[in-house]
Amino acid sequence: MAAGKGTRMKSTLPKVLHRLGGRALLRHVIDCAALLSARQAVVITGHGAAEVEAALSAEAPASLGLQFVRQEPQLGTGHAVQQALPQLADDGVTLILSGDVPLTQASTLQALLALCAGQQLALLTLAMPDPTGYGRIVRENSGGKVLAIVEHKDASDAQRQISEIYSGIMAVPTRLLRTWLSRLDNKNAQGEYYLTDIVQFAVADGLPVLAHQITDAAQVAGVNSPVQLAELERIYQRRNADALMEQGTRLADPARLDVRGQLVCGRDVEIDVNCVFEGRVSLGDGVRVGANCVIANASIAAGAVIHPFTHIDGEKLGVEVGEGALIGPFARLRPGAKLGAEVHIGNFVEVKNSTLAKGAKANHLAYLGDATVGERVNYGAGSITANYDGANKHRTVIEADVHVGSNCVLIAPVTLGAGGTIGGGSTITKDTAPGALSVARGKQVSIANWARPVKKAKG
Ligand code: UD1
Ligand code: MG
């Protein structure tokens, strides 16, 4: 169910598209369904339907037959599920989930499905210290058979004392769901078609209703406001951090790590505070990441050190950092940066779509764009590849063992021959021969004993 408005988010973005851990809330629910090898997933949209459908079709796992049905207008949760019925086969089990409840674990849903066993109505429930607002599980006597779910607004004072609530998640044989939904009405406090009314129908039909009661409230917590979104984000991040530490990753502070995607770590990886990982990132054995780094879509090989305040974003092309490389502090690696073993990239150096072979160094204030850099090249402070002529991008090739002095401009396309030296301050427009010293700048002129101008006396 993803048709609700989400008024309290106070946002133009449909609620289920707000991101948690870098993924839309609804994506979490869909990904969980994919883990259960569901036969199909039907998403019921309403508010912002077109936007929700477009966003999900673009990024949902292909393995899951994803279908959308629209609920317009939104007349309640029972009415919502009615819209999906034409898509559902009678021989299956329908698992009802909410698009704004992102942290449910697949194992919990598997237990619920096992309880349903293809035959019975199974409800996921939870005891809450403050159950205000939730549907209450009414039992024959305390701990006895489930008789009904009564919505808070419809509940008597006595029923409001019940602490066991319905989580919004149930598993139900589809053929039974179909018959029960046809019997719903909206004669209740909210004038809505309540999905929860099917519990009474099951009881009336003499079918047992089973409850799977869990204790982890986060798994059924919904997002209704920015505060709740932030709370669940922290819970999600703490789970990620715990899982990483479980397999040996050392985090300076598990509360100051954000993984918005997939982070895979080898052995003896150390991550300092305030690092953000996005997309797919892998850190090889012994990698150390300093404080305040943002790393996205990159593969960092064993023994590399990423010093503080480094920004790496491979986007679609990816970034590769070789074994034992030293990056940063304050370095910037952009899409297509492929750095070999023991490469050094220092402060305020930007690398884009460039390959640097083993042992190449660019340690200060430099730009390498669309370049192929050979082994052991030393690229001086302040040097840049002028790769863009205003219309097209061109390549710069710097062969092995070239020494580029400080403040050089290499105007692409250009090739610097192996072992050559480029004098500081040169603007290089033509290829240079291997082994040569190339200097391209105004010659130094010195005028001996030159007298500086002096100020004229006033008046
Ligand atoms: C519902 C349950 C309640 C339970 C609570 C758990 C009903 C009648 N009540 O309450 O017992 O304790 O969830 O959070 O089911 N939605 C639609 N179309 C609609 C109405 C809702 O798609 O017409 C979607 C919402 O977007 C949301 C989900 O259904 O994802 C639940 O709706 P919400 O209004 O949050 O639940 P409640 O009615 O508060
Ligand atoms: Mg409601």
Side-chain angles (χ1 to χ4, degrees):
M1 296 185 290
K5 192 165 183 194
T7 315
R8 282 186 282 155
M9 288 304 292
K10 297 184 179 156
S11 167
T12 49
L13 187 69
K15 176 165 78 173
V16 293
L17 293 186
H18 282 268
R19 285 178 182 268
L20 182 136
R23 264 182 303 162
L25 293 173
L26 183 52
R27 240 321 270 290
H28 286 264
V29 180
I30 300 290
D31 288 353
C32 189
L35 286 176
L36 299 169
S37 344
R39 191 191 285 176
Q40 58 178 148
V42 182
V43 178
I44 302 154
T45 59
H47 279 283
E51 206 178 332
V52 172
E53 290 165 15
L56 258 284
S57 327
E59 50 173 60
S63 60
L64 203 61
L66 196 63
Q67 292 163 285
F68 296 97
V69 295
R70 290 201 182 176
Q71 183 201 17
E72 277 156 349
Q74 288 83 41
L75 304 178
T77 52
H79 177 254
V81 179
Q82 279 171 350
Q83 313 311 306
L85 282 178
Q87 314 298 323
L88 306 175
D90 269 344
D91 66 339
V93 166
T94 301
L95 181 64
I96 293 165
L97 304 166
S98 293
D100 56 357
V101 177
L103 299 186
T104 319
Q105 273 163 20
S107 57
T108 301
L109 297 178
Q110 246 137 13
L112 188 70
L113 287 165
L115 200 61
C116 163
Q119 315 270 348
Q120 297 157 120
L121 175 54
L123 308 172
L124 189 65
T125 74
L126 181 89
M128 275 199 153
D130 178 12
T132 308
Y134 289 94
R136 306 300 206 285
I137 305 294
V138 179
R139 292 179 182 262
E140 204 168 46
N141 42 51
S142 157
K145 279 200 300 187
V146 174
L147 298 178
I149 298 174
V150 179
E151 291 306 304
H152 182 88
K153 285 187 177 144
D154 300 279
S156 64
D157 284 345
Q159 287 168 334
R160 287 184 182 180
Q161 300 306 308
I162 300 172
S163 63
E164 188 183 7
I165 61 105
Y166 169 55
S167 66
I169 296 174
M170 64 168 74
V172 47
T174 306
R175 69 194 154 81
L176 296 173
L177 178 67
R178 201 181 303 279
T179 64
W180 292 332
L181 284 180
S182 68
R183 285 149 71 179
L184 289 184
D185 65 40
N186 64 353
K187 297 191 188 102
N188 52 52
Q190 302 185 79
E192 287 182 7
Y193 294 89
Y194 290 164
L195 174 64
T196 44
D197 282 352
I198 73 169
V199 173
Q200 298 159 53
F201 302 149
V203 172
D205 290 354
L207 268 143
V209 179
L210 302 172
H212 177 54
Q213 193 174 332
I214 60 167
T215 51
D216 178 9
Q219 286 201 47
V220 297
V223 171
N224 295 297
S225 64
V227 169
Q228 288 172 343
L229 180 61
E231 282 168 1
L232 291 195
E233 177 78 32
R234 286 339 305 163
I235 292 171
Y236 173 81
Q237 292 302 343
R238 183 62 206 225
R239 276 189 193 171
N240 276 331
D242 287 346
L244 285 167
M245 291 189 293
E246 203 73 45
Q247 47 105 56
T249 302
R250 296 193 287 278
L251 304 175
D253 181 357
R256 284 182 285 170
L257 169 78
D258 286 82
V259 179
R260 302 176 189 148
Q262 199 186 34
L263 173 63
V264 179
C265 295
R267 288 178 76 84
D268 289 307
V269 167
E270 287 182 20
I271 303 173
D272 209 334
V273 298
N274 294 331
C275 291
V276 179
F277 296 90
E278 293 175 350
R280 285 172 177 276
V281 176
S282 68
L283 305 179
D285 293 351
V287 165
R288 283 190 287 136
V289 181
N292 301 300
C293 290
V294 177
I295 303 181
N297 301 302
S299 154
I300 316 289
V305 179
I306 314 296
H307 288 294
F309 297 99
T310 290
H311 185 239
I312 298 176
D313 190 357
E315 292 175 27
K316 288 201 175 76
L317 287 174
V319 163
E320 290 168 23
V321 174
E323 280 188 26
L326 302 179
I327 312 297
F330 298 101
R332 180 167 185 220
L333 303 182
R334 293 175 50 206
K338 292 194 167 59
L339 315 184
E342 289 151 46
V343 162
H344 293 187
I345 299 295
N347 44 208
F348 308 107
V349 174
E350 174 183 351
V351 182
K352 184 218 76 167
N353 193 31
S354 293
T355 305
L356 278 71
K358 186 177 178 187
K361 294 185 175 70
N363 270 326
H364 328 267
L365 304 157
Y367 176 58
L368 280 161
D370 304 307
T372 304
V373 179
E375 292 189 3
R376 297 171 301 276
V377 163
N378 197 310
Y379 193 75
S383 290
I384 65 155
T385 54
N387 57 328
Y388 185 52
D389 61 14
N392 297 298
K393 301 269 170 71
H394 302 282
R395 276 204 94 72
T396 300
V397 178
I398 307 176
E399 293 178 353
D401 299 300
V402 165
H403 181 100
V404 177
S406 296
N407 251 16
C408 293
V409 181
L410 310 178
I411 299 183
V414 71
T415 297
L416 310 185
T421 302
I422 309 298
S426 293
T427 296
I428 299 293
T429 57
K430 291 188 283 241
D431 291 355
T432 63
L437 167 65
S438 306
V439 183
R441 63 179 186 229
K443 270 208 170 135
Q444 181 168 328
V445 175
S446 294
I447 298 170
N449 303 320
W450 186 62
R452 280 189 213 157
V454 288
K455 268 192 182 165
K456 279 183 192 156
K458 277 193 186 139

